[in-house]
Structures are given as structure tokens and as C-alpha cells.
Amino acid sequence: MIEVTRFTGAPAEWDAFARQQAGFTHFHLHGWKRVMEQALGHETHYLGARGESGALDGILPLVRVRSLVFGHYLVSMPFLNYGGPLGGDQAITALVAGAVKLAERDGVKLLELRSRRALPIPLRASHRKVTVVLRLPDTTEELMGRFPAKLRSQVRRPAKDGITYRFGADQVGPFFEVFSRHMHELGTPTQGRALFEAISGGFGESAWFGCAYLGDRAIAAGAGFEWSDEVEMTWASSLAEFNRTSANMGLYGAFMERAIQRGLSVFNFGRCTPGTGTHRFKLQWGGSEEPLWWYQRAARGEGAATPSPEHGAWSWGPRIWRKLPVPLATALGPRVVRFIP
């Protein structure tokens, strides 16, 4: 018999189990619990499934995101691309049943389990998002040789203009400067710098922060996560006034080169909406598309989704946000976006 309860064991037990499971991603690590609670102020429900022996048979990280404006959600994992239960089929079934019970008890608008793979559960799966993954060769030379001539030129051009690349925890600040400005240009509230500092401090070298520099100024920036044999570019931004330099293309190339140097074999471009410009940008590198399995249980009927400016009800948001002064938007952004999972 499998029993599902709130996990109260050591983080090391959770992580050791997670790393051995099919579908494991960086976002299943126990350290995200502290990030969600302390950097974003959200309540977490990390569930563990144990058999008669008392050993873990399954885990499910859940985060409650609730506001009067946007609604009440239980998500695994909010603001990120992957999550969902890990473990054997029986444990996963029990964990999902526990999550549904929690959602029903609390009147949650939407329960969403963001799995990377198909799961043996009775919830509806949304494929509104996809990711693109690129298999990496053993050397950067091989990688560049695979690219079409135009793409190869775009990746190499920044170096000819004197653009350099830096990686490390000391790039969190420059990353945030570029990221917050870029998000303002898109009309999108940005998470606060405190979130990225918490990520860097909590995950060390498995959290990547990298920037492209023209002289002493960061003009493109990216952040992502390494796990198993893979790295995901979770956030990427560049300053529009420097588009002519192709710094964003060079930055992606630098991230891939770093991944190859670290012996990784998969570069994950992160999620996007099919058919968009972002989707086409990611496909041009020669990767393959993977559907995301985001399982949902809505309180009232089917078709519920987390808030997005792509939905008509919120399409006014970007138009207003772009008109705010950058310092004001940067200050207000974290207070808004922490409720949009």
C-alpha cells in the first residue's frame, strides 16, 4: 500500500530519489522549495509517496499561487517548464489523486502538472507549449559545421565586433539589467532580481548566468539550468539597439560551446508557443520539437489555463506596461508577475 503525505524528510533523500527517475529535471530538485517560499512568497506542498518499507516511491513538488486578480492555482512547477510527479506508476497515480484532493478541498481554479513525458493519469493533457532540443556533438567545430552558412555567420559575427562572453554568479546583476529592459520592451512584467540571486545562491554551478559584452556593457544575457546530460536556456534577452551585432546569436553559440566543454549532449531551448517567431527562432538551429505534457484539472469545465497576454482577457496588459517608465516597471513587475504562474 502506498501512502501520500507531505514530505518531511531530508532534502538529500528527495534529490537522490529524483535524480534516479525517468523525467527528472532540474526543477524537481528540493532547492526550488526554498526559492518558491522565500524569493516569491508562495506556499509549497511537496508530496512524498512511500510504500510499506517506508522508502520513497514517488515525489510531487506543488506550489500554490493565489491572488484576487489572477486566481488560485496549484502548479508543478510555476514559472518553469517542467515539474510533475516522478516515480513508479502506482506512486504517480497516488500522488496525482492526492493533488486532486487538495485542489478540490481548497477550491483551486486550476491544478497543472507540467510533465516532460506522458503519464498514466486520468487528467487532460495540454500541448499548448512545446520545447526544442538540439543534440550536441563532441566538439564546437562539429557543431558549427552542422549549421547553415547564414546561421554560422551570425554566430561568429559578434566576435568580429569585439563582443566577448562571461559566465558565473557575478553575471546575475548584468543579466538582470538586460533582462528587465528587454521584458519592458515586450510589455511583460519581470521577476525581481532577488529571484535570480536566490537561484544562483541556491544552485551554484548548475544555474548558468552568462552575458555578451560590448566593451564593458552587457548587451545580451541568458540564464538556464544544467542537469543530467542537458542544459536548458530558460531565459534569454538582448537589447534592441544592439540587434545589428547579432549578440544574441553569439550568446546562444557561447552557451552551446560551454555545454560541449562540460560534456553535455543536449541543448534545450526552453518552452515556446507553436507557430510563433520564438518557435521559428529555436527551430533554425536544427533541433527537434518536443511536446510538453501539462496535465490539468480545472474547477469549472475544461480549457482553463494560467493567465497569459496571449489570451484576450489580458491582451491589454503589454500595451499599458510598455508605457511605464523602466524604473517603475522594474519595481512593480515582481509584485505582479509572481502571481502569473
Side-chain angles (χ1 to χ4, degrees):
M1 180 177 178
I2 293 177
E3 182 180 12
V4 174
T5 61
R6 265 198 167 180
F7 180 81
T8 58
E13 180 192 17
W14 176 287
D15 288 349
F17 177 84
R19 292 180 188 277
Q20 298 301 314
Q21 306 308 309
F24 163 72
T25 68
H26 192 281
F27 313 118
H28 288 95
L29 293 174
H30 196 275
W32 283 100
K33 185 176 191 293
R34 171 175 285 190
V35 170
M36 293 293 168
E37 291 174 346
Q38 298 187 3
L40 295 175
H42 294 310
E43 178 186 0
T44 62
H45 292 265
Y46 273 45
L47 304 180
R50 297 184 186 272
E52 293 181 1
S53 68
L56 275 177
D57 285 340
I59 56 172
L60 172 57
L62 278 173
V63 180
R64 187 189 305 279
V65 180
R66 174 165 49 187
S67 75
L68 292 175
V69 175
F70 297 109
H72 185 184
Y73 303 90
L74 273 177
V75 187
S76 176
M77 290 285 288
F79 319 108
L80 304 168
N81 303 331
Y82 302 126
L86 298 179
D89 287 356
Q90 281 189 306
I92 287 175
T93 300
L95 287 163
V96 172
V100 169
K101 184 177 180 180
L102 181 63
E104 291 175 342
R105 185 197 73 185
D106 295 345
V108 168
K109 180 179 180 180
L110 179 70
L111 167 68
E112 186 166 72
L113 308 178
R114 298 179 175 179
S115 177
R116 187 170 192 174
R117 63 193 184 104
L119 297 176
I121 59 178
L123 300 186
R124 169 184 173 271
S126 167
H127 300 297
R128 70 181 187 273
K129 299 292 184 180
V130 299
T131 192
V132 175
V133 296
L134 177 67
R135 295 289 168 180
L136 297 172
D138 294 333
T139 67
T140 303
E141 290 73 20
E142 290 180 73
L143 178 67
M144 295 297 290
R146 292 180 181 179
F147 294 155
K150 181 180 177 181
L151 179 62
R152 190 162 56 244
S153 176
Q154 289 174 317
V155 173
R156 288 174 172 167
R157 176 180 174 178
K160 297 177 181 179
D161 290 337
I163 290 175
T164 58
Y165 307 97
R166 305 176 196 172
F167 289 89
D170 61 345
Q171 297 305 302
V172 173
F175 160 83
F176 184 72
E177 285 187 36
V178 175
F179 178 71
S180 58
R181 282 195 56 195
H182 179 71
M183 290 296 104
H184 180 260
E185 291 168 358
L186 296 176
T188 304
T190 177
Q191 294 283 7
R193 177 170 172 167
L195 170 64
F196 301 106
E197 290 176 340
I199 287 171
S200 178
F203 295 114
E205 290 189 359
S206 69
W208 290 22
F209 288 88
C211 295
Y213 282 83
L214 184 59
D216 292 330
R217 184 177 184 185
I219 62 174
F225 301 93
E226 176 185 337
W227 70 88
S228 303
D229 64 343
E230 182 170 355
V231 64
E232 179 193 87
M233 179 79 94
T234 311
W235 299 284
S237 305
S238 61
L239 301 182
E241 61 262 43
F242 296 98
N243 282 350
R244 61 174 179 78
T245 67
S246 296
N248 64 317
M249 302 296 286
L251 183 71
Y252 269 85
F255 265 76
M256 293 178 194
E257 181 176 15
R258 189 171 195 255
I260 290 172
Q261 290 171 348
R262 292 177 67 85
L264 305 180
S265 59
V266 178
F267 186 88
N268 187 325
F269 286 86
R271 78 177 186 232
C272 57
T273 302
T276 61
T278 301
H279 184 214
R280 291 188 290 273
F281 171 85
K282 295 176 179 182
L283 286 174
Q284 73 176 324
W285 298 83
S288 57
E289 183 180 293
E290 288 186 356
L292 300 184
W293 295 79
W294 287 10
Y295 290 93
Q296 299 177 326
R297 184 267 181 194
R300 293 180 294 276
E302 295 187 356
T306 51
S308 169
E310 296 173 1
H311 303 148
W314 304 107
S315 60
W316 50 267
R319 295 194 297 271
I320 293 176
W321 203 259
R322 289 190 194 99
K323 295 180 180 179
L324 295 178
V326 173
L328 179 60
T330 302
L332 292 179
R335 303 182 186 185
V336 176
V337 77
R338 63 182 287 263
F339 296 114
I340 307 177

